[in-house]
Amino acid sequence: EPEVTQTPSHQVTQMGQEVILRCVPISNHLYFYWYRQILGQKVEFLVSFYNNEISEKSEIFDDQFSVERPDGSNFTLKIRSTKLEDSAMYFCASSEEKNTEAFFGQGTRLTVV
Amino acid sequence: ILNVEQSPQSLHVQEGDSTNFTCSFPSSNFYALHWYRWETAKSPEALFVMTLNGDEKKKGQISATLNTKEGYSYLYIKGSQPEDSATYLCAFDDYGGSQGNLIFGKGTKLSVKP
């Protein structure tokens, strides 16, 4: 069964460092998303991406964040200068069409120290 | 600020019990309501996407209903099994123009004891 895969599963980084979280969405899906969940809090929307550009982004998704689809398969989330409060589980998701069910990856646990 | 509430926060039942839990969401600008099942150490798995008031969807022993006028959805599990143990998340989609800006509840954590 096709699935969304994310790497790495766990990333530890020092404050101020750049991190890139990687995702491979399901191959025939056109819409891609990043969500995050800070421990003990709700899952929060970060950004959606379609047709090689950002469709929508939340207030969380400030200038420190960027997304890219560098080739036909990968979808990356970059955090330029990590802060302690960026520590969270980051989920990538994809969907075939707009507003249909999204398939989630297993997440990358980011720990900023 | 749009808010999605789920209750109860956690639920412990015996195998064979039927159970239900609630998701409350804003009744204005409704587009869709998503239910996800999330097992520990796995990715959230989509259960239902509900769009119409009065909708009822079923997947095996799990079913869900939707009331968009009053802003709630119920998820029912008939005859719970230990493998149903998971966190059940609902997510509100506020209008068709948004792409993926789902607003999630905190989830209901279900534990089913054999």
Side-chain angles (χ1 to χ4, degrees):
Chain A
E1 191 176 318
E3 57 180 18
V4 176
T5 55
Q6 289 186 243
T7 53
S9 55
H10 191 185
Q11 171 105 36
V12 181
T13 189
Q14 287 212 315
M15 196 168 57
Q17 294 295 304
E18 174 184 285
V19 292
I20 297 176
L21 310 183
R22 298 178 198 282
C23 169
V24 180
I26 294 173
S27 61
N28 64 331
H29 285 188
L30 301 176
Y31 296 84
F32 315 115
Y33 317 95
W34 282 101
Y35 289 83
R36 77 171 186 192
Q37 187 188 34
I38 294 170
L39 190 63
Q41 297 186 24
K42 294 182 181 183
V43 175
E44 300 171 294
F45 169 76
L46 292 177
V47 67
S48 59
F49 192 86
Y50 169 71
N51 203 23
N52 283 321
E53 58 183 24
I54 290 174
S55 309
E56 190 171 351
K57 57 184 181 178
S58 70
E59 290 173 358
I60 303 166
F61 194 88
D62 61 21
D63 293 343
Q64 293 298 314
F65 291 88
S66 62
V67 288
E68 200 176 32
R69 191 152 159 81
D71 53 45
S73 58
N74 289 289
F75 179 50
T76 60
L77 175 70
K78 184 196 288 187
I79 310 175
R80 254 179 280 282
S81 176
T82 49
K83 303 189 273 285
L84 294 175
E85 53 265 37
D86 293 327
S87 295
M89 192 77 152
Y90 287 81
F91 290 99
C92 170
S94 69
S95 65
E96 204 170 340
E97 294 179 18
K98 189 171 81 167
N99 300 118
T100 56
E101 62 180 320
F103 292 79
F104 281 75
Q106 285 193 286
T108 293
R109 180 167 296 287
L110 176 67
T111 305
V112 182
V113 296
Chain B
I1 296 174
L2 298 174
N3 202 23
V4 174
E5 299 289 342
Q6 289 187 249
S7 61
Q9 202 170 5
S10 64
L11 199 51
H12 299 263
V13 302
Q14 289 293 132
E15 182 176 354
D17 286 351
S18 292
T19 185
N20 67 83
F21 22 93
T22 309
C23 172
S24 303
F25 52 85
S27 53
S28 57
N29 293 327
F30 176 87
Y31 183 77
L33 195 280
H34 299 239
W35 278 102
Y36 285 88
R37 179 173 176 278
W38 192 6
E39 284 182 71
T40 305
K42 293 189 178 178
S43 49
E45 173 202 346
L47 288 173
F48 307 114
V49 180
M50 308 181 78
T51 54
L52 297 174
N53 185 40
D55 226 358
E56 184 168 338
K57 296 213 170 179
K58 197 169 152 69
K59 194 174 188 175
Q61 298 299 96
I62 304 177
S63 60
T65 61
L66 179 69
N67 183 324
T68 59
K69 290 186 165 47
E70 294 180 43
Y72 64 83
S73 174
Y74 293 137
L75 190 81
Y76 300 91
I77 303 178
K78 188 178 169 185
S80 310
Q81 299 298 306
E83 53 266 32
D84 293 324
S85 298
T87 296
Y88 291 83
L89 293 171
C90 71
F92 171 71
D93 190 346
D94 66 340
Y95 75 100
S98 70
Q99 293 182 9
N101 188 1
L102 297 177
I103 300 159
F104 281 83
K106 267 196 157 183
T108 292
K109 187 169 183 179
L110 175 67
S111 300
V112 183
K113 286 189 180 171

